[in-house]
Amino acid sequence: MMADVYGCRVQSLNFLEEATSMGAAVIGGVAAGLFNGFDVIDRFIAVAQTVEPHPESRKVYQKLMPIFEKAYRALVEVYEDLAALGGTGSTT
């Protein structure tokens, strides 16, 4: 779906579930001097799947995108009101 919406190739990695932990480990390793740079991540991950956009689906999403944008912009103030409530922890 993302490939169709954005009109570009999307690649998923082999360690998708562990991506956050893997990133933290590499950052820690670079900070501690264990790794010379962030490109060390290439040793641990590989592209598991590549998805190309489907032209027919892409056409549908191109028609829907302006409607989505309009709806999003109409709700910006609502999002701000919700954010202002912040972590009150109460639903009443």
Side-chain angles (χ1 to χ4, degrees):
M1 181 186 282
M2 289 178 68
D4 296 337
V5 169
Y6 296 112
C8 64
R9 175 183 307 139
V10 174
Q11 296 179 324
S12 59
L13 304 177
N14 58 335
F15 289 115
L16 203 53
E17 294 83 19
E18 297 90 358
T20 303
S21 300
M22 184 87 60
V26 169
I27 290 169
V30 170
L34 297 172
F35 304 131
N36 292 329
F38 295 106
D39 58 343
V40 70
I41 195 72
D42 293 335
R43 285 197 261 162
F44 304 111
I45 62 170
V47 174
Q49 181 182 18
T50 300
V51 178
E52 299 286 342
H54 297 99
E56 291 304 313
S57 297
R58 176 75 181 132
K59 288 178 190 176
V60 172
Y61 285 114
Q62 283 179 307
K63 290 178 186 175
L64 290 171
M65 189 57 85
I67 299 167
F68 170 81
E69 287 286 334
K70 187 176 182 179
Y72 177 84
R73 293 189 192 294
L75 290 170
V76 166
E77 286 186 36
V78 174
Y79 300 145
E80 291 169 351
D81 291 344
L82 290 170
L85 293 175
T88 63
S90 175
T91 57
T92 58

mmCIF file of all heavy atoms in Angstrom, residues 41-76:
data_model
loop_
_atom_site.group_PDB
_atom_site.id
_atom_site.type_symbol
_atom_site.label_atom_id
_atom_site.label_comp_id
_atom_site.label_asym_id
_atom_site.label_seq_id
_atom_site.Cartn_x
_atom_site.Cartn_y
_atom_site.Cartn_z
ATOM 1 N N ILE A 41 25.589 -1.088 10.438
ATOM 2 C CA ILE A 41 24.260 -1.703 10.412
ATOM 3 C C ILE A 41 24.106 -2.617 9.204
ATOM 4 O O ILE A 41 23.368 -3.601 9.247
ATOM 5 C CB ILE A 41 23.144 -0.634 10.470
ATOM 6 C CG1 ILE A 41 21.793 -1.262 10.807
ATOM 7 C CG2 ILE A 41 23.045 0.134 9.176
ATOM 8 C CD1 ILE A 41 21.651 -1.724 12.201
ATOM 9 N N ASP A 42 24.813 -2.304 8.129
ATOM 10 C CA ASP A 42 24.720 -3.124 6.914
ATOM 11 C C ASP A 42 25.170 -4.564 7.153
ATOM 12 O O ASP A 42 24.796 -5.465 6.414
ATOM 13 C CB ASP A 42 25.548 -2.503 5.787
ATOM 14 C CG ASP A 42 24.977 -1.174 5.322
ATOM 15 O OD1 ASP A 42 23.761 -0.954 5.495
ATOM 16 O OD2 ASP A 42 25.744 -0.343 4.794
ATOM 17 N N ARG A 43 25.948 -4.802 8.198
ATOM 18 C CA ARG A 43 26.380 -6.166 8.521
ATOM 19 C C ARG A 43 25.251 -6.974 9.151
ATOM 20 O O ARG A 43 25.284 -8.194 9.153
ATOM 21 C CB ARG A 43 27.556 -6.137 9.500
ATOM 22 C CG ARG A 43 28.865 -5.732 8.867
ATOM 23 C CD ARG A 43 29.998 -6.133 9.766
ATOM 24 N NE ARG A 43 30.423 -4.972 10.540
ATOM 25 C CZ ARG A 43 31.149 -5.045 11.648
ATOM 26 N NH1 ARG A 43 31.497 -6.214 12.139
ATOM 27 N NH2 ARG A 43 31.495 -3.961 12.283
ATOM 28 N N PHE A 44 24.281 -6.297 9.714
ATOM 29 C CA PHE A 44 23.237 -6.975 10.478
ATOM 30 C C PHE A 44 21.902 -7.091 9.760
ATOM 31 O O PHE A 44 21.081 -7.925 10.122
ATOM 32 C CB PHE A 44 23.008 -6.247 11.807
ATOM 33 C CG PHE A 44 24.254 -6.109 12.622
ATOM 34 C CD1 PHE A 44 24.839 -4.863 12.809
ATOM 35 C CD2 PHE A 44 24.856 -7.207 13.204
ATOM 36 C CE1 PHE A 44 25.993 -4.720 13.564
ATOM 37 C CE2 PHE A 44 26.009 -7.079 13.957
ATOM 38 C CZ PHE A 44 26.576 -5.832 14.139
ATOM 39 N N ILE A 45 21.665 -6.229 8.798
ATOM 40 C CA ILE A 45 20.356 -6.227 8.136
ATOM 41 C C ILE A 45 20.494 -6.501 6.645
ATOM 42 O O ILE A 45 21.560 -6.333 6.070
ATOM 43 C CB ILE A 45 19.604 -4.892 8.341
ATOM 44 C CG1 ILE A 45 20.387 -3.739 7.720
ATOM 45 C CG2 ILE A 45 19.301 -4.651 9.808
ATOM 46 C CD1 ILE A 45 19.625 -2.445 7.649
ATOM 47 N N ALA A 46 19.408 -6.924 6.069
ATOM 48 C CA ALA A 46 19.337 -7.135 4.627
ATOM 49 C C ALA A 46 17.910 -6.838 4.177
ATOM 50 O O ALA A 46 16.970 -6.929 4.961
ATOM 51 C CB ALA A 46 19.713 -8.575 4.275
ATOM 52 N N VAL A 47 17.767 -6.496 2.924
ATOM 53 C CA VAL A 47 16.442 -6.260 2.370
ATOM 54 C C VAL A 47 15.756 -7.610 2.191
ATOM 55 O O VAL A 47 16.274 -8.491 1.520
ATOM 56 C CB VAL A 47 16.529 -5.504 1.022
ATOM 57 C CG1 VAL A 47 15.158 -5.393 0.377
ATOM 58 C CG2 VAL A 47 17.146 -4.129 1.228
ATOM 59 N N ALA A 48 14.605 -7.767 2.841
ATOM 60 C CA ALA A 48 13.865 -9.029 2.767
ATOM 61 C C ALA A 48 12.868 -9.029 1.616
ATOM 62 O O ALA A 48 12.584 -10.071 1.039
ATOM 63 C CB ALA A 48 13.136 -9.291 4.077
ATOM 64 N N GLN A 49 12.334 -7.844 1.306
ATOM 65 C CA GLN A 49 11.313 -7.759 0.271
ATOM 66 C C GLN A 49 11.324 -6.367 -0.347
ATOM 67 O O GLN A 49 11.512 -5.374 0.353
ATOM 68 C CB GLN A 49 9.938 -8.036 0.879
ATOM 69 C CG GLN A 49 8.794 -7.992 -0.100
ATOM 70 C CD GLN A 49 7.447 -8.236 0.585
ATOM 71 O OE1 GLN A 49 7.323 -8.125 1.794
ATOM 72 N NE2 GLN A 49 6.459 -8.561 -0.205
ATOM 73 N N THR A 50 11.114 -6.320 -1.644
ATOM 74 C CA THR A 50 10.973 -5.057 -2.362
ATOM 75 C C THR A 50 9.624 -5.067 -3.064
ATOM 76 O O THR A 50 9.281 -6.027 -3.743
ATOM 77 C CB THR A 50 12.101 -4.876 -3.406
ATOM 78 O OG1 THR A 50 13.360 -4.891 -2.715
ATOM 79 C CG2 THR A 50 11.946 -3.580 -4.164
ATOM 80 N N VAL A 51 8.865 -3.996 -2.851
ATOM 81 C CA VAL A 51 7.538 -3.887 -3.452
ATOM 82 C C VAL A 51 7.518 -2.674 -4.369
ATOM 83 O O VAL A 51 7.904 -1.576 -3.966
ATOM 84 C CB VAL A 51 6.441 -3.740 -2.375
ATOM 85 C CG1 VAL A 51 5.073 -3.589 -3.002
ATOM 86 C CG2 VAL A 51 6.478 -4.923 -1.422
ATOM 87 N N GLU A 52 7.085 -2.885 -5.593
ATOM 88 C CA GLU A 52 6.944 -1.807 -6.566
ATOM 89 C C GLU A 52 5.492 -1.334 -6.564
ATOM 90 O O GLU A 52 4.581 -2.109 -6.306
ATOM 91 C CB GLU A 52 7.303 -2.314 -7.969
ATOM 92 C CG GLU A 52 8.726 -2.815 -8.119
ATOM 93 C CD GLU A 52 9.757 -1.703 -8.142
ATOM 94 O OE1 GLU A 52 9.386 -0.538 -8.373
ATOM 95 O OE2 GLU A 52 10.943 -2.009 -7.924
ATOM 96 N N PRO A 53 5.270 -0.051 -6.866
ATOM 97 C CA PRO A 53 3.885 0.411 -6.941
ATOM 98 C C PRO A 53 3.136 -0.250 -8.092
ATOM 99 O O PRO A 53 3.720 -0.544 -9.128
ATOM 100 C CB PRO A 53 4.019 1.917 -7.188
ATOM 101 C CG PRO A 53 5.444 2.212 -7.381
ATOM 102 C CD PRO A 53 6.243 0.986 -7.112
ATOM 103 N N HIS A 54 1.852 -0.512 -7.874
ATOM 104 C CA HIS A 54 0.991 -1.051 -8.921
ATOM 105 C C HIS A 54 0.311 0.131 -9.615
ATOM 106 O O HIS A 54 -0.385 0.914 -8.947
ATOM 107 C CB HIS A 54 -0.066 -1.987 -8.329
ATOM 108 C CG HIS A 54 0.520 -3.185 -7.674
ATOM 109 N ND1 HIS A 54 0.702 -3.265 -6.310
ATOM 110 C CD2 HIS A 54 0.973 -4.343 -8.197
ATOM 111 C CE1 HIS A 54 1.249 -4.429 -6.018
ATOM 112 N NE2 HIS A 54 1.421 -5.108 -7.139
ATOM 113 N N PRO A 55 0.480 0.292 -10.914
ATOM 114 C CA PRO A 55 -0.048 1.471 -11.613
ATOM 115 C C PRO A 55 -1.543 1.712 -11.391
ATOM 116 O O PRO A 55 -1.957 2.859 -11.177
ATOM 117 C CB PRO A 55 0.249 1.185 -13.088
ATOM 118 C CG PRO A 55 1.415 0.251 -13.047
ATOM 119 C CD PRO A 55 1.232 -0.579 -11.814
ATOM 120 N N GLU A 56 -2.358 0.676 -11.403
ATOM 121 C CA GLU A 56 -3.798 0.869 -11.229
ATOM 122 C C GLU A 56 -4.134 1.332 -9.809
ATOM 123 O O GLU A 56 -4.959 2.226 -9.620
ATOM 124 C CB GLU A 56 -4.572 -0.413 -11.578
ATOM 125 C CG GLU A 56 -4.537 -0.751 -13.050
ATOM 126 C CD GLU A 56 -5.050 0.390 -13.929
ATOM 127 O OE1 GLU A 56 -6.123 0.958 -13.626
ATOM 128 O OE2 GLU A 56 -4.366 0.726 -14.916
ATOM 129 N N SER A 57 -3.498 0.729 -8.822
ATOM 130 C CA SER A 57 -3.721 1.150 -7.433
ATOM 131 C C SER A 57 -3.207 2.566 -7.228
ATOM 132 O O SER A 57 -3.819 3.370 -6.517
ATOM 133 C CB SER A 57 -3.023 0.207 -6.467
ATOM 134 O OG SER A 57 -3.558 -1.088 -6.559
ATOM 135 N N ARG A 58 -2.089 2.881 -7.840
ATOM 136 C CA ARG A 58 -1.500 4.219 -7.734
ATOM 137 C C ARG A 58 -2.488 5.278 -8.223
ATOM 138 O O ARG A 58 -2.653 6.327 -7.599
ATOM 139 C CB ARG A 58 -0.196 4.276 -8.539
ATOM 140 C CG ARG A 58 0.444 5.623 -8.593
ATOM 141 C CD ARG A 58 1.130 5.976 -7.285
ATOM 142 N NE ARG A 58 1.710 7.310 -7.392
ATOM 143 C CZ ARG A 58 1.555 8.243 -6.481
ATOM 144 N NH1 ARG A 58 0.896 8.009 -5.378
ATOM 145 N NH2 ARG A 58 2.087 9.435 -6.638
ATOM 146 N N LYS A 59 -3.181 4.992 -9.316
ATOM 147 C CA LYS A 59 -4.165 5.936 -9.853
ATOM 148 C C LYS A 59 -5.278 6.199 -8.842
ATOM 149 O O LYS A 59 -5.724 7.337 -8.668
ATOM 150 C CB LYS A 59 -4.763 5.399 -11.154
ATOM 151 C CG LYS A 59 -3.822 5.435 -12.322
ATOM 152 C CD LYS A 59 -4.487 4.837 -13.557
ATOM 153 C CE LYS A 59 -3.481 4.643 -14.670
ATOM 154 N NZ LYS A 59 -4.092 3.969 -15.832
ATOM 155 N N VAL A 60 -5.728 5.141 -8.166
ATOM 156 C CA VAL A 60 -6.786 5.292 -7.171
ATOM 157 C C VAL A 60 -6.313 6.177 -6.026
ATOM 158 O O VAL A 60 -7.021 7.100 -5.598
ATOM 159 C CB VAL A 60 -7.246 3.916 -6.638
ATOM 160 C CG1 VAL A 60 -8.200 4.068 -5.464
ATOM 161 C CG2 VAL A 60 -7.875 3.096 -7.757
ATOM 162 N N TYR A 61 -5.105 5.922 -5.506
ATOM 163 C CA TYR A 61 -4.586 6.708 -4.391
ATOM 164 C C TYR A 61 -4.333 8.154 -4.799
ATOM 165 O O TYR A 61 -4.501 9.066 -3.988
ATOM 166 C CB TYR A 61 -3.321 6.070 -3.808
ATOM 167 C CG TYR A 61 -3.642 4.851 -2.984
ATOM 168 C CD1 TYR A 61 -3.223 3.596 -3.385
ATOM 169 C CD2 TYR A 61 -4.368 4.953 -1.801
ATOM 170 C CE1 TYR A 61 -3.520 2.473 -2.631
ATOM 171 C CE2 TYR A 61 -4.672 3.835 -1.042
ATOM 172 C CZ TYR A 61 -4.240 2.600 -1.466
ATOM 173 O OH TYR A 61 -4.550 1.497 -0.710
ATOM 174 N N GLN A 62 -3.948 8.390 -6.035
ATOM 175 C CA GLN A 62 -3.751 9.763 -6.499
ATOM 176 C C GLN A 62 -5.074 10.527 -6.469
ATOM 177 O O GLN A 62 -5.094 11.719 -6.170
ATOM 178 C CB GLN A 62 -3.155 9.782 -7.906
ATOM 179 C CG GLN A 62 -1.670 9.476 -7.912
ATOM 180 C CD GLN A 62 -1.095 9.473 -9.319
ATOM 181 O OE1 GLN A 62 -1.597 8.799 -10.206
ATOM 182 N NE2 GLN A 62 -0.039 10.238 -9.505
ATOM 183 N N LYS A 63 -6.174 9.866 -6.758
ATOM 184 C CA LYS A 63 -7.491 10.508 -6.700
ATOM 185 C C LYS A 63 -7.915 10.746 -5.250
ATOM 186 O O LYS A 63 -8.580 11.732 -4.942
ATOM 187 C CB LYS A 63 -8.542 9.648 -7.403
ATOM 188 C CG LYS A 63 -8.388 9.599 -8.901
ATOM 189 C CD LYS A 63 -9.446 8.695 -9.509
ATOM 190 C CE LYS A 63 -9.220 8.513 -10.997
ATOM 191 N NZ LYS A 63 -10.179 7.548 -11.572
ATOM 192 N N LEU A 64 -7.547 9.821 -4.357
ATOM 193 C CA LEU A 64 -7.954 9.922 -2.958
ATOM 194 C C LEU A 64 -7.102 10.907 -2.147
ATOM 195 O O LEU A 64 -7.585 11.472 -1.157
ATOM 196 C CB LEU A 64 -7.886 8.546 -2.293
ATOM 197 C CG LEU A 64 -8.930 7.533 -2.736
ATOM 198 C CD1 LEU A 64 -8.612 6.164 -2.162
ATOM 199 C CD2 LEU A 64 -10.321 7.983 -2.329
ATOM 200 N N MET A 65 -5.871 11.133 -2.547
ATOM 201 C CA MET A 65 -4.950 11.947 -1.755
ATOM 202 C C MET A 65 -5.470 13.371 -1.509
ATOM 203 O O MET A 65 -5.395 13.853 -0.370
ATOM 204 C CB MET A 65 -3.561 11.981 -2.387
ATOM 205 C CG MET A 65 -2.531 12.636 -1.484
ATOM 206 S SD MET A 65 -2.380 11.857 0.148
ATOM 207 C CE MET A 65 -1.240 10.562 -0.227
ATOM 208 N N PRO A 66 -6.014 14.068 -2.488
ATOM 209 C CA PRO A 66 -6.526 15.412 -2.193
ATOM 210 C C PRO A 66 -7.663 15.398 -1.168
ATOM 211 O O PRO A 66 -7.772 16.307 -0.339
ATOM 212 C CB PRO A 66 -7.028 15.925 -3.547
ATOM 213 C CG PRO A 66 -6.309 15.116 -4.564
ATOM 214 C CD PRO A 66 -6.069 13.787 -3.923
ATOM 215 N N ILE A 67 -8.486 14.371 -1.179
ATOM 216 C CA ILE A 67 -9.577 14.253 -0.210
ATOM 217 C C ILE A 67 -9.001 13.998 1.180
ATOM 218 O O ILE A 67 -9.435 14.594 2.173
ATOM 219 C CB ILE A 67 -10.551 13.135 -0.623
ATOM 220 C CG1 ILE A 67 -11.163 13.462 -1.984
ATOM 221 C CG2 ILE A 67 -11.620 12.915 0.440
ATOM 222 C CD1 ILE A 67 -11.885 12.305 -2.638
ATOM 223 N N PHE A 68 -8.009 13.141 1.259
ATOM 224 C CA PHE A 68 -7.336 12.877 2.537
ATOM 225 C C PHE A 68 -6.714 14.159 3.082
ATOM 226 O O PHE A 68 -6.860 14.480 4.264
ATOM 227 C CB PHE A 68 -6.261 11.798 2.361
ATOM 228 C CG PHE A 68 -5.379 11.661 3.566
ATOM 229 C CD1 PHE A 68 -5.798 10.926 4.663
ATOM 230 C CD2 PHE A 68 -4.141 12.280 3.606
ATOM 231 C CE1 PHE A 68 -4.989 10.808 5.785
ATOM 232 C CE2 PHE A 68 -3.334 12.171 4.719
ATOM 233 C CZ PHE A 68 -3.756 11.439 5.814
ATOM 234 N N GLU A 69 -6.017 14.896 2.236
ATOM 235 C CA GLU A 69 -5.376 16.146 2.656
ATOM 236 C C GLU A 69 -6.418 17.134 3.179
ATOM 237 O O GLU A 69 -6.205 17.797 4.199
ATOM 238 C CB GLU A 69 -4.606 16.779 1.487
ATOM 239 C CG GLU A 69 -3.330 16.046 1.122
ATOM 240 C CD GLU A 69 -2.223 16.264 2.136
ATOM 241 O OE1 GLU A 69 -2.199 17.297 2.830
ATOM 242 O OE2 GLU A 69 -1.357 15.375 2.233
ATOM 243 N N LYS A 70 -7.533 17.251 2.490
ATOM 244 C CA LYS A 70 -8.597 18.156 2.894
ATOM 245 C C LYS A 70 -9.152 17.752 4.266
ATOM 246 O O LYS A 70 -9.361 18.595 5.142
ATOM 247 C CB LYS A 70 -9.706 18.142 1.841
ATOM 248 C CG LYS A 70 -10.775 19.155 2.060
ATOM 249 C CD LYS A 70 -11.764 19.109 0.888
ATOM 250 C CE LYS A 70 -12.850 20.136 1.013
ATOM 251 N NZ LYS A 70 -13.784 20.092 -0.130
ATOM 252 N N ALA A 71 -9.389 16.463 4.463
ATOM 253 C CA ALA A 71 -9.895 15.965 5.743
ATOM 254 C C ALA A 71 -8.876 16.208 6.852
ATOM 255 O O ALA A 71 -9.231 16.641 7.959
ATOM 256 C CB ALA A 71 -10.225 14.483 5.636
ATOM 257 N N TYR A 72 -7.612 15.956 6.574
ATOM 258 C CA TYR A 72 -6.559 16.160 7.580
ATOM 259 C C TYR A 72 -6.509 17.621 8.005
ATOM 260 O O TYR A 72 -6.500 17.936 9.194
ATOM 261 C CB TYR A 72 -5.202 15.715 7.028
ATOM 262 C CG TYR A 72 -4.087 15.980 8.004
ATOM 263 C CD1 TYR A 72 -3.804 15.071 9.012
ATOM 264 C CD2 TYR A 72 -3.340 17.149 7.932
ATOM 265 C CE1 TYR A 72 -2.804 15.315 9.928
ATOM 266 C CE2 TYR A 72 -2.339 17.403 8.849
ATOM 267 C CZ TYR A 72 -2.073 16.486 9.845
ATOM 268 O OH TYR A 72 -1.083 16.738 10.756
ATOM 269 N N ARG A 73 -6.487 18.512 7.033
ATOM 270 C CA ARG A 73 -6.407 19.944 7.346
ATOM 271 C C ARG A 73 -7.641 20.420 8.121
ATOM 272 O O ARG A 73 -7.531 21.281 9.006
ATOM 273 C CB ARG A 73 -6.206 20.755 6.085
ATOM 274 C CG ARG A 73 -4.844 20.491 5.447
ATOM 275 C CD ARG A 73 -4.515 21.434 4.322
ATOM 276 N NE ARG A 73 -3.366 21.008 3.558
ATOM 277 C CZ ARG A 73 -2.115 20.936 4.005
ATOM 278 N NH1 ARG A 73 -1.847 21.259 5.244
ATOM 279 N NH2 ARG A 73 -1.132 20.536 3.224
ATOM 280 N N ALA A 74 -8.798 19.865 7.829
ATOM 281 C CA ALA A 74 -10.014 20.238 8.536
ATOM 282 C C ALA A 74 -9.970 19.804 9.999
ATOM 283 O O ALA A 74 -10.651 20.386 10.845
ATOM 284 C CB ALA A 74 -11.230 19.633 7.838
ATOM 285 N N LEU A 75 -9.162 18.784 10.312
ATOM 286 C CA LEU A 75 -9.088 18.250 11.673
ATOM 287 C C LEU A 75 -7.878 18.736 12.462
ATOM 288 O O LEU A 75 -7.688 18.333 13.614
ATOM 289 C CB LEU A 75 -9.090 16.721 11.623
ATOM 290 C CG LEU A 75 -10.421 16.098 11.208
ATOM 291 C CD1 LEU A 75 -10.249 14.607 10.950
ATOM 292 C CD2 LEU A 75 -11.487 16.347 12.254
ATOM 293 N N VAL A 76 -7.066 19.607 11.894
ATOM 294 C CA VAL A 76 -5.849 20.057 12.578
ATOM 295 C C VAL A 76 -6.172 20.638 13.953
ATOM 296 O O VAL A 76 -5.513 20.314 14.947
ATOM 297 C CB VAL A 76 -5.056 21.067 11.715
ATOM 298 C CG1 VAL A 76 -3.997 21.783 12.535
ATOM 299 C CG2 VAL A 76 -4.409 20.351 10.540
#
